[in-house]
């Protein structure tokens, strides 16, 4: 599970980069920026996107062998970059290749509004790994005409025709993931996990017949395949060497084998060996074996996330999107925050859950603060700030899980942000001062509690199926909301001060509650177009959590809706009662998950998490017009380049920061395009 919390008012795995055989000899225009206090975190802004940079603290403390491991893992990640593009939409690679060819070869007037709009459109699809918005899932609309694009194609001798051309401008495939109630979610989603004629019923029928060899250890059916119909029969196309995406996977495997050769220890090397075997075979039992080994491999300074993992992009929650994150342990922060995982059993025992839904023995929960060294696939350019894996419930219960907070990513968000939007939406000076003083601490702690305690907590009732089967299209938002609620429940608790995590637990908790309600009921709406429903899983969960406690607390005026000079604010009058309400909702969400209660989750999400107050939404959008900062942020990756000695062996590395977003995207396309493009 990944946490896409938003830092302050900006709304708030391991990773791999890949390159061609001789990439180290190629240069992209870069500016070398040493780790320093005057580091420039901002790259550029376009559309609704702000692109940032991040540093890699701790790199110089690594041995050469550890640095090689990081480099090989980042290269492995980048080699699979095209997989994410193709998973997102069947024409993405064709469109990207054509538009990049235009950008590189056009010799005409580049001062016109049309050209500027063309460049912005290209940057937006780069950022989203395709033509659908990375967060709203809506198709990105170009601000230039089809006639202009046709002229650019002629001027640069570029081919783009048929459906791949038309879809840029028409209403076809308008949603990458359609989670609306009452529609065929698979049929109405443009995501390329299913053949064009596959329906919800097809998927449910196909996987209802799949039986795991050990029912207590259910395999993750559908995670690494595309479901299609051939001659009227349903068939899976496996992601593996020699199968679907085989050309890219073979490159991934090449770098993973190099990484295995410099593993820090036997456990880490064995886990990498199983990941390589999984990529070669596509076998889901090997995937589980790998996750067990990876979860248990907790020693060392380097870790990673790599493969087909999160299922948010599948409307029914079966298929994993490709992603990688490569991480270096933040030694000081990890030591400080280790008390969270060390006290996982206390948090479980004291949660407001039904006794039958509590784990009697919480095992193998580890938590680290890490610094990202590279990301790819679904984790880049838009990145999570926290991750808890593996996702299989039985592995969490029997073996444990790993949780990480991406420390340098969070720091970059915080250093690049401003307080203007915050001042506009806080109720009063007290709320503003709480956020300024305690907001960052509250955000970091919520991420930790969400990932470490939240996703690892609770258990399913005996005989209840996996949540993707029982809760279906509501599984992701229910799980994210449940983990949020665990964090919210404990953020206002003296235990945090007892553990030495905060100096004033009440004020940290108050800042956390203010920020969550403000975001869930108001500020996240700046991400939606007027008239839109809430569809993204995390946005839905923040709204249904906030709207539920607001409604249930009305009798006691726990949260007060205030209108002042035509502007709406939400003020928390009773933090103690709000804490109790979060506890009640946590108990109910865990019951829904434990019992597989589809009727209850449908009612919860559809009643509180989907529809938007249009009058309030219009007001929020109008108030937000004064701010130039984009509502979404993401990152370019530092470029790690090996330096070779006279014998062709790596003797050290340099790290440089990309100067522009465009240069990095074109460099990636030149060096990591491993999948064929349709003609």
């Amino acid at each position: 599970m990944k946490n896409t919390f938003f830092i302050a008012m900006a709304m708030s795995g391991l990773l791999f980069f890949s390159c061609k055989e001789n990439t180290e000899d190629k240069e992209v225009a870069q500016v070398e920026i040493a780790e320093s206090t005057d580091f420039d975190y901002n790259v550029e802004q376009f559309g609704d996107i702000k692109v940032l940079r991040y540093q890699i603290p701790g790199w110089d403390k690594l041995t050469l062998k550890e640095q090689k491991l990081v480099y090989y893992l980042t290269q492995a990640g980048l080699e699979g970059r095209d997989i994410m593009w193709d998973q997102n939409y069947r024409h993405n690679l064709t469109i990207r290749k054509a538009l990049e060819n235009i950008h590189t070869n056009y010799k005409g007037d580049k001062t016109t509004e049309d050209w500027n709009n063309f460049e912005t459109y290209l940057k937006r699809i780069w950022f989203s790994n395709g033509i659908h918005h990375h967060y709203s899932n809506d198709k990105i609309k170009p601000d230039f005409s089809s006639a202009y694009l046709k002229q650019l194609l002629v001027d640069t001798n570029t081919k783009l025709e048929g459906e791949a051309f038309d879809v840029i401008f028409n209403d076809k495939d308008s949603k990458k993931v359609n989670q609306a109630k009452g529609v065929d979610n698979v049929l109405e989603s443009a995501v390329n996990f299913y053949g064009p004629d596959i329906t919800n019923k097809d998927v449910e029928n196909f996987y209802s017949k799949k039986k795991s060899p050990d029912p207590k250890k259910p395999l993750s059916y559908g995670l690494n395949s595309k479901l299609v119909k051939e001659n009227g029969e349903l068939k899976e196309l496996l992601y593996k060497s020699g199968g679907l995406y085989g050309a890219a996977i073979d490159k991934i495997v090449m770098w993973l084998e190099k990484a295995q050769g410099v593993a820090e220890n036997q456990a880490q090397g064995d886990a990498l060996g199983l990941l390589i075997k999984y990529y070669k075979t596509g076998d889901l039992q090997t995937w589980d074996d790998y996750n067990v080994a990876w979860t248990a491999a907790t020693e060392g300074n380097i870790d990673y996330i790599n493969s087909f993992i999160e299922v948010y992009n599948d409307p029914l929650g079966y298929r994993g999107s490709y992603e990688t994150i490569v991480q270096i342990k933040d030694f000081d922060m990890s030591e400080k925050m280790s008390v969270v995982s060390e006290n996982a059993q206390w948090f479980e025992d004291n949660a407001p859950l039904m006794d039958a839904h509590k784990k009697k023995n919480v095992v193998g929960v580890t938590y680290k603060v890490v610094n990202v060294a590279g990301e790819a696939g679904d984790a880049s350019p838009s990145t999570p700030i926290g991750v808890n894996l593996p996702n299989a419930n039985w592995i969490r219960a029997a073996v444990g899980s790993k949780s990480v907070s991406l420390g340098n990513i969070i720091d970059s968000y915080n250093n690049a942000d401003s307080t203007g939007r915050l001042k506009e939406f806080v109720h009063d000076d007290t709320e503003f001062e709480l956020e300024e003083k305690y907001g960052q601490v509250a955000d970091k702690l919520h991420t930790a509690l969400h990932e470490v305690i939240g996703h690892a907590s609770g258990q399913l009732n005996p005989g209840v199926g996996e949540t993707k089967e029982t809760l279906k299209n509501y599984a992701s938002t229910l799980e994210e909301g449940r983990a949020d609620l665990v964090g919210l429940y404990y953020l206002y608790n003296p235990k945090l001060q007892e553990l030495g995590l905060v100096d004033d637990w009440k004020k940290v908790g108050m800042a956390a509650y203010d920020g969550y309600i403000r975001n869930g009921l108001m500020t996240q709406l700046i991400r939606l177009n007027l008239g839109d429903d809430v569809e993204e899983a995390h946005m839905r969960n923040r709204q249904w959590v906030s709207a539920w406690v607001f409604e249930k607390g009305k009798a006691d005026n726990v949260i007060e809706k205030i209108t002042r000079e035509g502007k709406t604010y939400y003020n928390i009058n009773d933090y103690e009662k709000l804490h109790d309400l979060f506890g009640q909702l946590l108990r109910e969400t865990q019951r829904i998950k434990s019992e597989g209660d589809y009727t209850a989750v449908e009612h919860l999400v559809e009643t509180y998490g989907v529809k938007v107050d249009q009058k309030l939404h219009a007001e929020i959008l109008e108030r937000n017009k004064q701010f130039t900062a984009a509502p979404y942020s993401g990152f370019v990756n530092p470029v790690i380049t090996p330096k070779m000695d006279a014998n062709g062996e790596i003797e050290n590395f340099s790290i440089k920061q990309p100067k522009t977003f465009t240069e990095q995207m074109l460099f990636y396309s030149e060096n990591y395009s491993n999948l064929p493009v349709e003609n």
Side-chain angles (χ1 to χ4, degrees), residues 279-293:
Y279 271 128
K280 288 181 176 180
T281 65
D283 179 64
L284 289 172
Q285 182 58 61
T286 302
W287 171 246
D288 278 358
D289 294 343
Y290 160 70
N291 276 284
V292 169

mmCIF file of all heavy atoms in Angstrom, residues 279-293:
data_model
loop_
_atom_site.group_PDB
_atom_site.id
_atom_site.type_symbol
_atom_site.label_atom_id
_atom_site.label_comp_id
_atom_site.label_asym_id
_atom_site.label_seq_id
_atom_site.Cartn_x
_atom_site.Cartn_y
_atom_site.Cartn_z
ATOM 1 N N TYR A 279 10.361 -12.907 -12.441
ATOM 2 C CA TYR A 279 10.314 -12.222 -13.728
ATOM 3 C C TYR A 279 10.496 -13.209 -14.885
ATOM 4 O O TYR A 279 9.914 -13.040 -15.959
ATOM 5 C CB TYR A 279 11.394 -11.146 -13.801
ATOM 6 C CG TYR A 279 10.968 -9.793 -13.282
ATOM 7 C CD1 TYR A 279 11.720 -9.116 -12.329
ATOM 8 C CD2 TYR A 279 9.826 -9.167 -13.780
ATOM 9 C CE1 TYR A 279 11.343 -7.856 -11.865
ATOM 10 C CE2 TYR A 279 9.441 -7.912 -13.341
ATOM 11 C CZ TYR A 279 10.204 -7.261 -12.377
ATOM 12 O OH TYR A 279 9.816 -6.020 -11.932
ATOM 13 N N LYS A 280 11.306 -14.218 -14.687
ATOM 14 C CA LYS A 280 11.560 -15.173 -15.769
ATOM 15 C C LYS A 280 10.384 -16.122 -15.993
ATOM 16 O O LYS A 280 10.141 -16.555 -17.126
ATOM 17 C CB LYS A 280 12.824 -15.976 -15.464
ATOM 18 C CG LYS A 280 14.112 -15.168 -15.599
ATOM 19 C CD LYS A 280 15.331 -16.029 -15.317
ATOM 20 C CE LYS A 280 16.622 -15.250 -15.558
ATOM 21 N NZ LYS A 280 17.830 -16.078 -15.293
ATOM 22 N N THR A 281 9.647 -16.440 -14.924
ATOM 23 C CA THR A 281 8.590 -17.454 -15.023
ATOM 24 C C THR A 281 7.177 -16.892 -14.957
ATOM 25 O O THR A 281 6.236 -17.513 -15.463
ATOM 26 C CB THR A 281 8.737 -18.480 -13.890
ATOM 27 O OG1 THR A 281 8.522 -17.818 -12.623
ATOM 28 C CG2 THR A 281 10.112 -19.116 -13.901
ATOM 29 N N GLY A 282 6.994 -15.757 -14.285
ATOM 30 C CA GLY A 282 5.646 -15.238 -14.060
ATOM 31 C C GLY A 282 4.855 -16.053 -13.057
ATOM 32 O O GLY A 282 3.634 -15.874 -12.924
ATOM 33 N N ASP A 283 5.511 -16.912 -12.309
ATOM 34 C CA ASP A 283 4.842 -17.825 -11.384
ATOM 35 C C ASP A 283 4.449 -17.111 -10.092
ATOM 36 O O ASP A 283 5.300 -16.539 -9.402
ATOM 37 C CB ASP A 283 5.766 -19.001 -11.062
ATOM 38 C CG ASP A 283 5.138 -19.966 -10.078
ATOM 39 O OD1 ASP A 283 4.111 -20.574 -10.414
ATOM 40 O OD2 ASP A 283 5.675 -20.083 -8.960
ATOM 41 N N LEU A 284 3.168 -17.152 -9.724
ATOM 42 C CA LEU A 284 2.687 -16.419 -8.557
ATOM 43 C C LEU A 284 3.117 -17.049 -7.238
ATOM 44 O O LEU A 284 3.205 -16.351 -6.231
ATOM 45 C CB LEU A 284 1.162 -16.285 -8.618
ATOM 46 C CG LEU A 284 0.653 -15.330 -9.700
ATOM 47 C CD1 LEU A 284 -0.862 -15.412 -9.811
ATOM 48 C CD2 LEU A 284 1.085 -13.890 -9.419
ATOM 49 N N GLN A 285 3.380 -18.336 -7.221
ATOM 50 C CA GLN A 285 3.930 -18.932 -6.003
ATOM 51 C C GLN A 285 5.337 -18.395 -5.750
ATOM 52 O O GLN A 285 5.715 -18.109 -4.605
ATOM 53 C CB GLN A 285 3.966 -20.452 -6.107
ATOM 54 C CG GLN A 285 4.476 -21.151 -4.840
ATOM 55 C CD GLN A 285 3.643 -20.811 -3.611
ATOM 56 O OE1 GLN A 285 2.448 -21.099 -3.563
ATOM 57 N NE2 GLN A 285 4.264 -20.183 -2.614
ATOM 58 N N THR A 286 6.094 -18.220 -6.814
ATOM 59 C CA THR A 286 7.422 -17.621 -6.673
ATOM 60 C C THR A 286 7.305 -16.185 -6.187
ATOM 61 O O THR A 286 8.136 -15.718 -5.391
ATOM 62 C CB THR A 286 8.181 -17.675 -8.012
ATOM 63 O OG1 THR A 286 8.278 -19.035 -8.443
ATOM 64 C CG2 THR A 286 9.577 -17.097 -7.880
ATOM 65 N N TRP A 287 6.277 -15.480 -6.641
ATOM 66 C CA TRP A 287 6.044 -14.109 -6.165
ATOM 67 C C TRP A 287 5.825 -14.097 -4.651
ATOM 68 O O TRP A 287 6.404 -13.270 -3.940
ATOM 69 C CB TRP A 287 4.852 -13.494 -6.883
ATOM 70 C CG TRP A 287 4.390 -12.167 -6.340
ATOM 71 C CD1 TRP A 287 3.197 -11.912 -5.736
ATOM 72 C CD2 TRP A 287 5.107 -10.928 -6.363
ATOM 73 N NE1 TRP A 287 3.120 -10.585 -5.367
ATOM 74 C CE2 TRP A 287 4.285 -9.957 -5.746
ATOM 75 C CE3 TRP A 287 6.362 -10.544 -6.828
ATOM 76 C CZ2 TRP A 287 4.676 -8.630 -5.588
ATOM 77 C CZ3 TRP A 287 6.751 -9.217 -6.679
ATOM 78 C CH2 TRP A 287 5.921 -8.276 -6.071
ATOM 79 N N ASP A 288 5.030 -15.017 -4.149
ATOM 80 C CA ASP A 288 4.820 -15.093 -2.704
ATOM 81 C C ASP A 288 6.104 -15.485 -1.979
ATOM 82 O O ASP A 288 6.427 -14.936 -0.915
ATOM 83 C CB ASP A 288 3.707 -16.090 -2.380
ATOM 84 C CG ASP A 288 2.320 -15.485 -2.539
ATOM 85 O OD1 ASP A 288 2.238 -14.280 -2.857
ATOM 86 O OD2 ASP A 288 1.327 -16.212 -2.358
ATOM 87 N N ASP A 289 6.836 -16.431 -2.541
ATOM 88 C CA ASP A 289 8.110 -16.829 -1.935
ATOM 89 C C ASP A 289 9.062 -15.635 -1.864
ATOM 90 O O ASP A 289 9.765 -15.439 -0.861
ATOM 91 C CB ASP A 289 8.764 -17.948 -2.747
ATOM 92 C CG ASP A 289 7.968 -19.248 -2.710
ATOM 93 O OD1 ASP A 289 7.103 -19.398 -1.819
ATOM 94 O OD2 ASP A 289 8.206 -20.108 -3.582
ATOM 95 N N TYR A 290 9.072 -14.853 -2.944
ATOM 96 C CA TYR A 290 9.912 -13.649 -2.962
ATOM 97 C C TYR A 290 9.483 -12.665 -1.873
ATOM 98 O O TYR A 290 10.326 -12.126 -1.141
ATOM 99 C CB TYR A 290 9.851 -12.967 -4.334
ATOM 100 C CG TYR A 290 10.279 -11.523 -4.290
ATOM 101 C CD1 TYR A 290 11.615 -11.189 -4.072
ATOM 102 C CD2 TYR A 290 9.350 -10.493 -4.412
ATOM 103 C CE1 TYR A 290 12.003 -9.864 -3.988
ATOM 104 C CE2 TYR A 290 9.728 -9.171 -4.335
ATOM 105 C CZ TYR A 290 11.063 -8.854 -4.118
ATOM 106 O OH TYR A 290 11.440 -7.542 -4.025
ATOM 107 N N ASN A 291 8.173 -12.419 -1.757
ATOM 108 C CA ASN A 291 7.706 -11.452 -0.771
ATOM 109 C C ASN A 291 8.015 -11.885 0.653
ATOM 110 O O ASN A 291 8.333 -11.056 1.507
ATOM 111 C CB ASN A 291 6.200 -11.210 -0.949
ATOM 112 C CG ASN A 291 5.909 -10.170 -2.008
ATOM 113 O OD1 ASN A 291 6.073 -8.983 -1.787
ATOM 114 N ND2 ASN A 291 5.502 -10.626 -3.179
ATOM 115 N N VAL A 292 7.927 -13.179 0.924
ATOM 116 C CA VAL A 292 8.295 -13.693 2.240
ATOM 117 C C VAL A 292 9.778 -13.433 2.497
ATOM 118 O O VAL A 292 10.173 -12.953 3.576
ATOM 119 C CB VAL A 292 7.974 -15.197 2.349
ATOM 120 C CG1 VAL A 292 8.600 -15.795 3.608
ATOM 121 C CG2 VAL A 292 6.462 -15.425 2.357
ATOM 122 N N ALA A 293 10.613 -13.744 1.504
ATOM 123 C CA ALA A 293 12.058 -13.545 1.663
ATOM 124 C C ALA A 293 12.408 -12.063 1.761
ATOM 125 O O ALA A 293 13.242 -11.661 2.583
ATOM 126 C CB ALA A 293 12.798 -14.190 0.487
#
